[in-house]
Coordinates of all heavy atoms in Angstrom, one line a residue:
M25 N 41.2 39.5 -35.4 CA 41.8 40.8 -35.2 C 42.3 40.9 -33.8 O 41.5 40.7 -32.9 CB 40.8 41.9 -35.6 CG 41.4 43.3 -35.4 SD 40.2 44.5 -36.0 CE 40.1 45.5 -34.6
L26 N 43.5 41.2 -33.6 CA 44.0 41.3 -32.3 C 44.0 42.8 -31.9 O 44.2 43.7 -32.7 CB 45.4 40.8 -32.2 CG 45.6 39.3 -32.5 CD1 47.1 38.9 -32.5 CD2 44.9 38.5 -31.4
I27 N 43.9 43.0 -30.6 CA 43.9 44.4 -30.0 C 45.3 44.7 -29.6 O 45.9 44.0 -28.8 CB 43.0 44.6 -28.9 CG1 41.5 44.3 -29.4 CG2 43.1 46.0 -28.2 CD1 40.5 44.3 -28.2
N28 N 45.9 45.8 -30.1 CA 47.2 46.2 -29.8 C 47.2 47.1 -28.6 O 46.7 48.2 -28.7 CB 47.9 46.9 -31.0 CG 49.3 47.2 -30.7 OD1 49.7 47.5 -29.6 ND2 50.1 47.2 -31.8
S29 N 47.6 46.6 -27.4 CA 47.5 47.4 -26.2 C 48.3 48.7 -26.2 O 47.8 49.7 -25.7 CB 48.0 46.5 -25.0 OG 47.1 45.4 -24.8
R30 N 49.5 48.7 -26.8 CA 50.3 49.9 -26.9 C 49.6 50.9 -27.8 O 49.5 52.1 -27.4 CB 51.6 49.6 -27.5 CG 52.6 48.9 -26.5 CD 54.0 49.0 -27.0 NE 54.8 48.0 -26.2 CZ 55.4 46.9 -26.7 NH1 55.3 46.7 -28.0 NH2 56.0 46.1 -25.9
Q31 N 49.0 50.5 -28.9 CA 48.4 51.4 -29.8 C 47.1 52.0 -29.1 O 46.8 53.2 -29.2 CB 47.9 50.7 -31.0 CG 47.3 51.5 -32.1 CD 46.8 50.7 -33.3 OE1 46.5 49.5 -33.2 NE2 46.8 51.4 -34.4
Q32 N 46.3 51.2 -28.4 CA 45.2 51.7 -27.7 C 45.6 52.7 -26.6 O 44.9 53.7 -26.4 CB 44.4 50.5 -27.1 CG 43.7 49.6 -28.2 CD 42.8 50.4 -29.1 OE1 42.0 51.2 -28.6 NE2 42.9 50.2 -30.4
A33 N 46.7 52.4 -25.9 CA 47.1 53.3 -24.9 C 47.5 54.7 -25.4 O 47.2 55.7 -24.8 CB 48.3 52.7 -24.1
E34 N 48.1 54.7 -26.6 CA 48.5 55.9 -27.2 C 47.2 56.7 -27.7 O 47.1 57.9 -27.6 CB 49.4 55.7 -28.5 CG 50.8 55.2 -28.1 CD 51.6 54.8 -29.3 OE1 51.2 55.0 -30.4 OE2 52.7 54.3 -29.1
L35 N 46.2 55.9 -28.2 CA 45.0 56.6 -28.7 C 44.2 57.2 -27.5 O 43.7 58.3 -27.7 CB 44.1 55.6 -29.4 CG 44.6 55.2 -30.8 CD1 43.7 54.0 -31.3 CD2 44.5 56.3 -31.7
I36 N 44.1 56.6 -26.4 CA 43.3 57.1 -25.3 C 44.1 57.9 -24.3 O 43.5 58.5 -23.4 CB 42.4 56.0 -24.6 CG1 43.3 55.0 -24.0 CG2 41.5 55.3 -25.6 CD1 42.5 53.9 -23.1
G37 N 45.4 57.8 -24.4 CA 46.2 58.6 -23.4 C 46.2 58.0 -22.0 O 46.4 58.7 -21.1
R38 N 46.0 56.7 -21.9 CA 46.0 56.1 -20.6 C 46.7 54.7 -20.7 O 46.9 54.2 -21.7 CB 44.6 55.8 -20.1 CG 43.8 57.1 -19.8 CD 42.4 56.7 -19.3 NE 41.8 57.9 -18.8 CZ 41.0 58.0 -17.8 NH1 40.7 56.9 -17.1 NH2 40.4 59.1 -17.5
E39 N 47.1 54.2 -19.5 CA 47.7 52.9 -19.5 C 46.7 51.8 -19.8 O 45.6 51.8 -19.3 CB 48.3 52.6 -18.1 CG 49.0 51.3 -18.0 CD 49.6 51.0 -16.6 OE1 49.3 51.8 -15.7 OE2 50.3 50.0 -16.5
V40 N 47.1 50.9 -20.7 CA 46.2 49.8 -21.1 C 47.0 48.5 -20.8 O 48.1 48.4 -21.2 CB 45.8 49.8 -22.6 CG1 45.0 48.6 -23.0 CG2 45.0 51.1 -22.8
L41 N 46.4 47.6 -20.0 CA 47.1 46.3 -19.7 C 46.7 45.3 -20.8 O 45.6 45.3 -21.3 CB 46.6 45.8 -18.4 CG 46.9 46.8 -17.2 CD1 46.3 46.2 -15.9 CD2 48.3 47.1 -17.0
G42 N 47.7 44.5 -21.2 CA 47.5 43.4 -22.1 C 46.9 42.2 -21.5 O 46.9 42.1 -20.2
G43 N 46.3 41.4 -22.3 CA 45.7 40.1 -21.7 C 44.2 40.2 -21.7 O 43.6 41.1 -22.3
Y44 N 43.6 39.3 -21.0 CA 42.2 39.2 -20.9 C 41.8 38.6 -19.6 O 42.6 38.0 -18.9 CB 41.5 38.4 -22.0 CG 42.0 37.0 -22.1 CD1 41.2 36.0 -21.5 CD2 43.1 36.7 -22.8 CE1 41.6 34.7 -21.6 CE2 43.6 35.3 -22.8 CZ 42.8 34.3 -22.3 OH 43.2 33.0 -22.3
V45 N 40.5 38.7 -19.2 CA 40.0 38.2 -18.0 C 39.0 37.1 -18.3 O 38.1 37.3 -19.2 CB 39.3 39.3 -17.1 CG1 38.7 38.7 -15.8 CG2 40.3 40.4 -16.7
E46 N 39.1 36.0 -17.6 CA 38.1 34.9 -17.9 C 37.5 34.5 -16.6 O 38.2 34.1 -15.6 CB 38.8 33.7 -18.5 CG 37.8 32.6 -18.9 CD 38.6 31.4 -19.5 OE1 39.7 31.6 -20.0 OE2 37.9 30.4 -19.7
Q47 N 36.2 34.5 -16.5 CA 35.4 34.1 -15.3 C 35.2 32.6 -15.4 O 34.6 32.1 -16.3 CB 34.1 34.8 -15.2 CG 33.4 34.4 -13.9 CD 32.1 35.2 -13.7 OE1 31.8 36.0 -14.5 NE2 31.3 34.8 -12.7
T48 N 35.8 31.9 -14.4 CA 35.7 30.4 -14.5 C 34.7 29.8 -13.5 O 34.2 28.7 -13.7 CB 37.1 29.8 -14.3 OG1 37.6 30.2 -13.0 CG2 38.0 30.2 -15.4
A49 N 34.5 30.5 -12.4 CA 33.6 29.9 -11.4 C 32.1 30.4 -11.7 O 31.9 31.5 -12.2 CB 33.9 30.4 -10.0
P50 N 31.1 29.5 -11.5 CA 29.8 29.9 -11.8 C 29.2 30.9 -10.8 O 28.2 31.6 -11.1 CB 29.0 28.6 -11.8 CG 29.8 27.6 -11.1 CD 31.2 28.1 -11.2
E51 N 29.7 30.9 -9.6 CA 29.1 31.8 -8.6 C 29.7 33.2 -8.7 O 31.0 33.3 -8.7 CB 29.4 31.2 -7.2 CG 28.8 29.9 -6.9 CD 29.7 28.7 -7.3 OE1 30.9 29.0 -7.5 OE2 29.2 27.6 -7.6
A52 N 28.9 34.1 -8.8 CA 29.4 35.5 -8.9 C 28.9 36.3 -7.6 O 27.8 36.1 -7.2 CB 28.8 36.2 -10.1
A53 N 29.8 37.1 -7.1 CA 29.4 37.9 -5.9 C 28.5 39.0 -6.3 O 28.4 39.4 -7.5 CB 30.7 38.5 -5.3
D54 N 27.7 39.5 -5.4 CA 26.8 40.6 -5.7 C 27.5 41.8 -6.3 O 28.5 42.2 -5.9 CB 26.1 41.1 -4.5 CG 25.1 40.0 -3.9 OD1 24.6 39.2 -4.8 OD2 24.9 39.9 -2.7
G55 N 26.9 42.3 -7.4 CA 27.5 43.5 -8.1 C 28.6 43.2 -9.0 O 29.2 44.1 -9.5
T56 N 28.9 42.0 -9.3 CA 30.0 41.7 -10.2 C 29.3 41.0 -11.5 O 28.2 40.7 -11.6 CB 31.0 40.7 -9.6 OG1 30.3 39.5 -9.3 CG2 31.6 41.4 -8.4
I57 N 30.2 40.7 -12.4 CA 29.8 40.0 -13.6 C 29.2 38.7 -13.3 O 29.8 37.9 -12.5 CB 30.9 40.0 -14.6 CG1 31.4 41.3 -14.9 CG2 30.5 39.2 -15.9 CD1 32.7 41.4 -15.8
E58 N 28.1 38.3 -14.0 CA 27.5 37.0 -13.8 C 27.8 36.1 -15.0 O 27.9 36.6 -16.1 CB 26.0 37.1 -13.5 CG 25.7 37.9 -12.3 CD 24.2 37.9 -12.0 OE1 23.4 37.1 -12.6 OE2 23.8 38.8 -11.3
Q59 N 27.8 34.8 -14.7 CA 28.0 33.9 -15.8 C 26.7 33.9 -16.7 O 25.6 34.1 -16.3 CB 28.1 32.4 -15.3 CG 29.4 32.2 -14.6 CD 30.5 31.9 -15.7 OE1 31.1 32.9 -16.2 NE2 30.7 30.7 -16.0
I60 N 26.9 33.7 -18.0 CA 25.8 33.5 -18.9 C 25.2 32.1 -18.7 O 25.9 31.1 -18.6 CB 26.3 33.6 -20.4 CG1 26.9 35.0 -20.6 CG2 25.2 33.3 -21.4 CD1 27.5 35.2 -22.0
P61 N 23.9 32.1 -18.5 CA 23.3 30.8 -18.3 C 23.4 29.8 -19.4 O 23.5 30.2 -20.6 CB 21.8 31.1 -18.0 CG 21.6 32.5 -18.6 CD 22.9 33.2 -18.6
E62 N 23.4 28.6 -19.1 CA 23.4 27.5 -20.1 C 22.2 27.6 -21.0 O 21.1 27.8 -20.5 CB 23.5 26.1 -19.4 CG 23.7 25.0 -20.4 CD 25.1 24.9 -21.0 OE1 26.0 25.5 -20.4 OE2 25.2 24.2 -22.0
P63 N 22.3 27.4 -22.3 CA 21.1 27.5 -23.2 C 20.1 26.3 -22.9 O 20.6 25.3 -22.4 CB 21.6 27.5 -24.6 CG 23.0 27.0 -24.5 CD 23.5 27.2 -23.1
D64 N 18.9 26.5 -23.2 CA 17.9 25.5 -23.0 C 18.0 24.5 -24.2 O 17.7 24.8 -25.3 CB 16.5 26.2 -23.0 CG 15.4 25.2 -22.8 OD1 15.6 24.0 -22.4 OD2 14.2 25.5 -23.2
H65 N 18.4 23.3 -23.8 CA 18.6 22.3 -24.8 C 17.4 21.4 -25.0 O 17.3 20.5 -25.8 CB 19.8 21.4 -24.4 CG 21.1 22.1 -24.4 ND1 21.7 22.6 -25.6 CD2 21.9 22.4 -23.4 CE1 22.8 23.2 -25.3 NE2 23.0 23.1 -24.0
D66 N 16.3 21.6 -24.2 CA 15.1 20.8 -24.2 C 14.2 21.3 -25.3 O 13.3 20.6 -25.7 CB 14.4 20.9 -22.9 CG 15.2 20.2 -21.8 OD1 16.0 19.3 -22.1 OD2 15.0 20.6 -20.6
S67 N 14.3 22.5 -25.7 CA 13.4 23.1 -26.7 C 14.2 23.6 -27.9 O 15.3 24.2 -27.7 CB 12.6 24.2 -26.1 OG 11.9 24.9 -27.1
I68 N 13.7 23.4 -29.1 CA 14.4 23.9 -30.3 C 13.9 25.3 -30.7 O 14.5 25.9 -31.6 CB 14.4 22.9 -31.4 CG1 13.0 22.6 -31.9 CG2 15.1 21.7 -31.1 CD1 12.9 21.7 -33.1
G69 N 12.8 25.7 -30.2 CA 12.3 27.1 -30.4 C 12.4 27.6 -31.8 O 11.8 27.0 -32.7
A70 N 13.1 28.7 -32.0 CA 13.1 29.3 -33.3 C 13.9 28.5 -34.4 O 13.7 28.7 -35.6 CB 13.8 30.7 -33.2
H71 N 14.6 27.5 -33.9 CA 15.4 26.7 -34.8 C 14.5 25.8 -35.7 O 14.8 25.5 -36.8 CB 16.4 25.8 -34.1 CG 17.4 26.6 -33.2 ND1 18.3 27.4 -33.8 CD2 17.5 26.7 -31.9 CE1 19.0 27.9 -32.8 NE2 18.5 27.5 -31.7
M72 N 13.3 25.4 -35.1 CA 12.4 24.6 -35.9 C 11.8 25.5 -37.1 O 11.7 24.9 -38.2 CB 11.2 24.2 -35.0 CG 10.2 23.4 -35.7 SD 10.8 22.0 -36.6 CE 10.3 20.7 -35.4
A73 N 11.5 26.7 -36.8 CA 11.0 27.6 -37.9 C 12.0 27.7 -39.0 O 11.7 27.7 -40.2 CB 10.6 28.9 -37.4
Y74 N 13.3 27.8 -38.6 CA 14.4 27.9 -39.6 C 14.5 26.6 -40.4 O 14.7 26.6 -41.6 CB 15.7 28.3 -38.9 CG 16.8 28.6 -39.8 CD1 16.7 29.8 -40.6 CD2 18.0 27.9 -39.9 CE1 17.7 30.2 -41.4 CE2 19.0 28.2 -40.7 CZ 18.9 29.4 -41.5 OH 19.9 29.7 -42.3
A75 N 14.4 25.5 -39.7 CA 14.5 24.2 -40.4 C 13.3 24.0 -41.4 O 13.5 23.6 -42.5 CB 14.5 23.1 -39.4
V76 N 12.1 24.4 -41.0 CA 10.9 24.3 -41.9 C 11.1 25.2 -43.1 O 10.7 24.9 -44.2 CB 9.6 24.6 -41.1 CG1 8.4 24.8 -42.0 CG2 9.4 23.5 -40.0
Q77 N 11.7 26.4 -42.9 CA 11.9 27.3 -43.9 C 12.7 26.7 -45.1 O 12.4 26.9 -46.2 CB 12.6 28.6 -43.4 CG 13.0 29.6 -44.4 CD 13.8 30.7 -43.8 OE1 14.2 30.7 -42.7 NE2 14.0 31.7 -44.6
W78 N 13.8 26.0 -44.7 CA 14.6 25.4 -45.7 C 13.9 24.3 -46.4 O 14.1 24.1 -47.6 CB 15.9 24.9 -45.1 CG 16.9 26.1 -44.9 CD1 17.2 26.7 -43.7 CD2 17.6 26.8 -45.9 NE1 18.0 27.8 -44.0 CE2 18.3 27.9 -45.3 CE3 17.6 26.7 -47.3 CZ2 19.0 28.7 -46.1 CZ3 18.4 27.6 -48.0 CH2 19.1 28.6 -47.4
W79 N 13.1 23.5 -45.7 CA 12.3 22.5 -46.4 C 11.3 23.1 -47.4 O 11.1 22.5 -48.5 CB 11.6 21.6 -45.4 CG 12.6 20.6 -44.8 CD1 13.1 20.6 -43.5 CD2 13.2 19.5 -45.4 NE1 13.9 19.6 -43.3 CE2 14.0 18.9 -44.5 CE3 13.1 18.9 -46.7 CZ2 14.8 17.7 -44.8 CZ3 13.9 17.8 -47.0 CH2 14.7 17.2 -46.0
L80 N 10.7 24.2 -47.0 CA 9.8 24.9 -48.0 C 10.6 25.4 -49.2 O 10.1 25.3 -50.3 CB 9.1 26.1 -47.3 CG 8.1 25.6 -46.2 CD1 7.5 26.8 -45.5 CD2 6.9 24.8 -46.9
F81 N 11.8 26.0 -49.0 CA 12.6 26.4 -50.1 C 12.9 25.2 -51.0 O 12.9 25.3 -52.3 CB 13.9 27.1 -49.7 CG 13.7 28.5 -49.1 CD1 14.6 28.9 -48.1 CD2 12.6 29.2 -49.4 CE1 14.4 30.1 -47.6 CE2 12.5 30.5 -48.9 CZ 13.4 31.0 -47.9
T82 N 13.3 24.1 -50.4 CA 13.6 22.9 -51.1 C 12.4 22.4 -52.0 O 12.5 22.0 -53.1 CB 14.0 21.8 -50.2 OG1 15.1 22.2 -49.4 CG2 14.4 20.5 -50.9
A83 N 11.2 22.5 -51.4 CA 10.0 22.1 -52.2 C 9.7 23.1 -53.3 O 9.2 22.7 -54.3 CB 8.8 22.0 -51.2
G84 N 10.0 24.3 -53.1 CA 9.8 25.3 -54.1 C 10.6 25.3 -55.4 O 10.2 25.7 -56.4
V85 N 11.8 24.7 -55.2 CA 12.7 24.7 -56.4 C 12.2 23.8 -57.5 O 12.2 24.3 -58.7 CB 14.1 24.2 -55.9 CG1 15.0 23.8 -57.1 CG2 14.8 25.2 -55.0
P86 N 11.7 22.6 -57.3 CA 11.2 21.8 -58.4 C 9.9 22.5 -59.0 O 9.8 22.5 -60.2 CB 10.8 20.5 -57.8 CG 11.5 20.4 -56.5 CD 11.8 21.8 -56.0
V87 N 9.1 23.1 -58.2 CA 7.9 23.8 -58.7 C 8.4 24.9 -59.6 O 7.8 25.1 -60.7 CB 7.0 24.3 -57.5 CG1 5.9 25.2 -58.0 CG2 6.5 23.1 -56.7
G88 N 9.3 25.7 -59.2 CA 9.8 26.8 -60.0 C 10.4 26.4 -61.3 O 10.3 27.0 -62.3
W89 N 11.2 25.2 -61.2 CA 11.8 24.7 -62.4 C 10.8 24.2 -63.4 O 10.9 24.5 -64.6 CB 12.7 23.5 -62.0 CG 13.5 22.9 -63.1 CD1 14.7 23.4 -63.6 CD2 13.2 21.8 -63.8 NE1 15.1 22.6 -64.6 CE2 14.2 21.6 -64.8 CE3 12.1 20.9 -63.8 CZ2 14.2 20.6 -65.7 CZ3 12.1 19.8 -64.7 CH2 13.1 19.7 -65.7
V90 N 9.7 23.6 -63.0 CA 8.6 23.2 -63.9 C 8.0 24.4 -64.5 O 7.8 24.4 -65.7 CB 7.6 22.3 -63.1 CG1 6.4 22.1 -64.0 CG2 8.2 21.0 -62.7
I91 N 7.7 25.4 -63.8 CA 7.1 26.6 -64.3 C 8.0 27.2 -65.4 O 7.6 27.6 -66.5 CB 6.8 27.6 -63.2 CG1 5.6 27.1 -62.3 CG2 6.5 29.0 -63.8 CD1 5.4 27.9 -61.1
L92 N 9.3 27.3 -65.1 CA 10.3 27.9 -66.0 C 10.4 27.1 -67.3 O 10.5 27.6 -68.4 CB 11.6 28.1 -65.4 CG 11.7 29.2 -64.3 CD1 13.0 29.2 -63.6 CD2 11.3 30.6 -64.9
V93 N 10.4 25.8 -67.2 CA 10.5 24.9 -68.3 C 9.3 25.0 -69.2 O 9.4 25.1 -70.4 CB 10.8 23.4 -67.9 CG1 10.6 22.5 -69.0 CG2 12.2 23.3 -67.3
R94 N 8.1 25.0 -68.6 CA 6.9 25.2 -69.4 C 6.8 26.5 -70.1 O 6.4 26.6 -71.2 CB 5.7 25.0 -68.5 CG 5.5 23.6 -68.0 CD 4.3 23.4 -67.1 NE 3.1 23.7 -67.9 CZ 1.9 23.7 -67.3 NH1 1.7 23.5 -66.1 NH2 0.9 24.0 -68.1
R95 N 7.3 27.6 -69.4 CA 7.3 28.9 -70.0 C 8.2 29.0 -71.2 O 7.9 29.5 -72.3 CB 7.6 30.0 -69.0 CG 7.6 31.4 -69.5 CD 8.0 32.4 -68.5 NE 7.0 32.4 -67.4 CZ 7.2 33.0 -66.3 NH1 8.3 33.7 -66.1 NH2 6.2 33.0 -65.4
E96 N 9.4 28.4 -71.0 CA 10.4 28.3 -72.1 C 9.9 27.5 -73.3 O 10.0 28.0 -74.5 CB 11.7 27.7 -71.6 CG 12.8 27.7 -72.6 CD 13.3 29.1 -73.0 OE1 13.2 30.0 -72.2 OE2 13.9 29.2 -74.1
K97 N 9.2 26.4 -73.0 CA 8.6 25.6 -74.1 C 7.6 26.4 -74.9 O 7.5 26.4 -76.1 CB 8.1 24.3 -73.5 CG 7.5 23.4 -74.5 CD 6.9 22.2 -73.9 CE 6.2 21.3 -75.0 NZ 5.2 20.4 -74.4
R98 N 6.7 27.1 -74.1 CA 5.6 27.9 -74.7 C 6.2 29.0 -75.6 O 5.8 29.2 -76.7 CB 4.8 28.4 -73.7 CG 3.5 29.2 -74.2 CD 2.8 30.0 -73.2 NE 3.7 31.0 -72.7 CZ 3.7 31.4 -71.4 NH1 2.9 30.9 -70.5 NH2 4.5 32.4 -71.0
D99 N 7.3 29.6 -75.1 CA 7.9 30.7 -75.9 C 8.6 30.2 -77.1 O 8.5 30.8 -78.2 CB 8.9 31.5 -75.0 CG 8.3 32.3 -73.9 OD1 7.0 32.5 -73.9 OD2 9.0 32.7 -73.0
R100 N 9.2 29.0 -77.0 CA 9.9 28.5 -78.2 C 8.8 28.0 -79.3 O 9.0 28.2 -80.4 CB 10.8 27.3 -77.8 CG 12.0 27.7 -77.1 CD 12.9 26.6 -76.8 NE 14.0 27.0 -76.0 CZ 15.2 26.4 -76.0 NH1 15.3 25.3 -76.7 NH2 16.2 26.8 -75.3
E101 N 7.7 27.4 -78.8 CA 6.7 27.1 -79.7 C 6.1 28.3 -80.4 O 5.8 28.3 -81.6 CB 5.6 26.3 -79.0 CG 6.0 24.9 -78.6 CD 5.0 24.1 -77.8 OE1 4.1 24.8 -77.3 OE2 5.2 22.9 -77.5
A102 N 5.9 29.4 -79.6 CA 5.3 30.6 -80.2 C 6.3 31.2 -81.2 O 5.9 31.7 -82.3 CB 5.0 31.6 -79.1
A103 N 7.6 31.2 -80.9 CA 8.6 31.7 -81.9 C 8.6 30.8 -83.1 O 8.8 31.3 -84.2 CB 10.0 31.7 -81.2
A104 N 8.5 29.5 -83.0 CA 8.6 28.6 -84.1 C 7.3 28.8 -85.0 O 7.4 28.8 -86.2 CB 8.6 27.1 -83.7
S105 N 6.2 29.0 -84.4 CA 5.0 29.2 -85.2 C 5.0 30.6 -85.9 O 4.5 30.8 -87.0 CB 3.7 29.1 -84.4 OG 3.6 30.1 -83.4
A106 N 5.6 31.6 -85.2 CA 5.8 32.9 -85.8 C 6.7 32.9 -87.0 O 6.5 33.5 -88.0 CB 6.2 33.9 -84.8
D107 N 7.8 32.1 -86.9 CA 8.8 31.9 -88.0 C 8.1 31.2 -89.2 O 8.3 31.5 -90.3 CB 10.0 31.2 -87.5 CG 10.9 32.0 -86.6 OD1 10.7 33.2 -86.6 OD2 11.7 31.4 -85.9
A108 N 7.3 30.2 -88.8 CA 6.6 29.4 -89.9 C 5.6 30.3 -90.7 O 5.5 30.1 -91.9 CB 6.0 28.2 -89.3
S109 N 4.9 31.2 -90.0 CA 3.9 32.0 -90.6 C 4.5 33.3 -91.2 O 3.8 34.0 -92.0 CB 2.8 32.3 -89.6 OG 3.3 33.2 -88.6
G110 N 5.8 33.6 -90.8 CA 6.4 34.8 -91.4 C 6.0 36.0 -90.8 O 6.2 37.1 -91.2
T111 N 5.2 36.0 -89.7 CA 4.8 37.2 -89.0 C 5.6 37.4 -87.7 O 6.2 36.4 -87.1 CB 3.3 37.1 -88.5 OG1 3.1 35.9 -87.7 CG2 2.4 36.9 -89.8
P112 N 5.7 38.6 -87.2 CA 6.5 38.8 -86.0 C 5.8 38.2 -84.8 O 4.6 37.9 -84.9 CB 6.6 40.3 -85.9 CG 5.6 40.9 -86.8 CD 5.3 39.8 -87.8
E113 N 6.5 37.9 -83.8 CA 6.0 37.3 -82.6 C 4.9 38.1 -82.0 O 5.0 39.3 -81.8 CB 7.1 37.1 -81.6 CG 6.8 36.1 -80.5 CD 8.0 35.8 -79.7 OE1 9.1 35.6 -80.2 OE2 7.8 35.6 -78.5
A114 N 3.8 37.5 -81.7 CA 2.6 38.3 -81.3 C 2.7 38.6 -79.8 O 1.9 39.5 -79.3 CB 1.3 37.5 -81.5
D115 N 3.5 38.0 -79.1 CA 3.6 38.2 -77.6 C 4.5 39.4 -77.3 O 5.6 39.2 -76.8 CB 4.1 36.9 -76.9 CG 4.0 37.0 -75.4 OD1 3.2 37.9 -74.9 OD2 4.6 36.1 -74.7
T116 N 4.0 40.6 -77.5 CA 4.8 41.8 -77.2 C 4.3 42.5 -75.9 O 4.9 43.4 -75.5 CB 4.6 42.8 -78.4 OG1 3.2 43.1 -78.5 CG2 5.2 42.2 -79.7
A117 N 3.3 41.9 -75.3 CA 2.8 42.6 -74.1 C 3.7 42.3 -72.9 O 3.8 43.1 -71.9 CB 1.4 42.1 -73.7
R118 N 4.4 41.2 -72.9 CA 5.3 40.8 -71.8 C 6.7 41.4 -72.1 O 7.3 41.0 -73.1 CB 5.4 39.3 -71.7 CG 4.1 38.7 -71.1 CD 4.3 37.3 -70.8 NE 5.5 36.7 -71.5 CZ 5.9 35.5 -71.4 NH1 5.2 34.6 -70.7 NH2 6.9 35.0 -72.0
P119 N 7.2 42.3 -71.3 CA 8.5 42.9 -71.5 C 9.7 42.0 -71.2 O 10.8 42.2 -71.6 CB 8.5 44.1 -70.6 CG 7.6 43.8 -69.5 CD 6.6 42.9 -70.1
W120 N 9.4 40.9 -70.4 CA 10.5 40.0 -70.0 C 10.1 38.6 -70.2 O 9.0 38.2 -69.9 CB 10.9 40.3 -68.6 CG 12.2 39.6 -68.2 CD1 13.4 40.0 -68.3 CD2 12.3 38.3 -67.6 NE1 14.3 39.1 -67.8 CE2 13.6 38.0 -67.4 CE3 11.4 37.3 -67.2 CZ2 14.1 36.9 -66.8 CZ3 11.8 36.1 -66.7 CH2 13.2 35.9 -66.5
P121 N 10.9 37.7 -70.7 CA 12.2 37.9 -71.2 C 12.1 38.5 -72.6 O 11.3 38.1 -73.5 CB 12.8 36.5 -71.3 CG 11.7 35.6 -71.4 CD 10.5 36.3 -70.7
H122 N 13.0 39.5 -72.9 CA 12.9 40.2 -74.2 C 13.8 39.4 -75.2 O 14.9 39.0 -74.9 CB 13.5 41.6 -74.0 CG 13.6 42.3 -75.3 ND1 12.5 42.6 -76.0 CD2 14.6 42.7 -76.0 CE1 12.9 43.3 -77.2 NE2 14.2 43.3 -77.2
R123 N 13.2 39.1 -76.3 CA 14.0 38.4 -77.4 C 14.2 39.4 -78.5 O 13.2 40.0 -79.0 CB 13.2 37.2 -77.9 CG 13.1 36.1 -76.8 CD 13.2 34.8 -77.5 NE 13.5 33.8 -76.5 CZ 12.6 32.9 -76.1 NH1 11.4 32.9 -76.6 NH2 12.9 32.0 -75.2
P124 N 15.4 39.7 -78.9 CA 15.6 40.7 -79.9 C 15.1 40.2 -81.3 O 15.1 39.0 -81.5 CB 17.2 40.8 -79.9 CG 17.7 39.6 -79.2 CD 16.6 39.1 -78.3
A125 N 14.7 41.1 -82.1 CA 14.2 40.7 -83.4 C 15.4 40.3 -84.3 O 16.5 40.9 -84.2 CB 13.5 41.9 -84.0
D126 N 15.2 39.4 -85.2 CA 16.2 39.0 -86.1 C 16.5 40.0 -87.2 O 15.8 40.7 -87.7 CB 15.8 37.7 -86.8 CG 15.8 36.5 -85.8 OD1 16.6 36.6 -84.8 OD2 15.0 35.6 -86.0

């Protein structure tokens, strides 16, 4: 998004100059804008926690997949045994996942 100097001048009722200012020298005089210091490249700090977080998520995916597959298998076996016996499915205590009656 670009700033329209004419539009801003009309909005605030003052003269607005176009362009921008860039500080190129590292030395700043007293009372003026100072350069932002170079980041610390020797330490990874919070970045390590973020990297570990993604590895934990990666490890959790297969575990969650196994749990879901086992649950689905159990539900299908329960439905098959209920169909074979002619009785409605006995697992009505769990509201999710809801399987509609035939």
Side-chain angles (χ1 to χ4, degrees):
M25 180 172 128
L26 296 175
I27 297 174
N28 184 328
S29 298
R30 283 193 197 118
Q31 183 183 29
Q32 293 301 314
E34 290 173 8
L35 286 173
I36 63 173
R38 294 180 172 217
E39 181 182 7
V40 176
L41 302 176
Y44 61 93
V45 177
E46 181 178 350
Q47 182 178 354
T48 57
E51 300 85 22
D54 291 329
T56 62
I57 299 173
E58 295 183 21
Q59 286 283 87
I60 297 173
E62 184 72 19
D64 180 18
H65 297 292
D66 297 331
S67 170
I68 58 173
H71 303 293
M72 177 59 100
Y74 191 63
V76 169
Q77 173 187 12
W78 281 106
W79 283 108
L80 290 174
F81 288 153
T82 302
V85 168
V87 172
W89 185 79
V90 168
I91 290 170
L92 291 174
V93 167
R94 290 180 63 183
R95 182 181 295 169
E96 183 68 22
K97 181 182 175 198
R98 184 190 64 215
D99 290 348
R100 287 182 184 207
E101 289 172 350
S105 67
D107 287 343
S109 67
T111 59
E113 196 170 322
D115 189 12
T116 58
R118 290 186 343 180
W120 189 88
H122 176 68
R123 294 217 164 106
D126 291 329

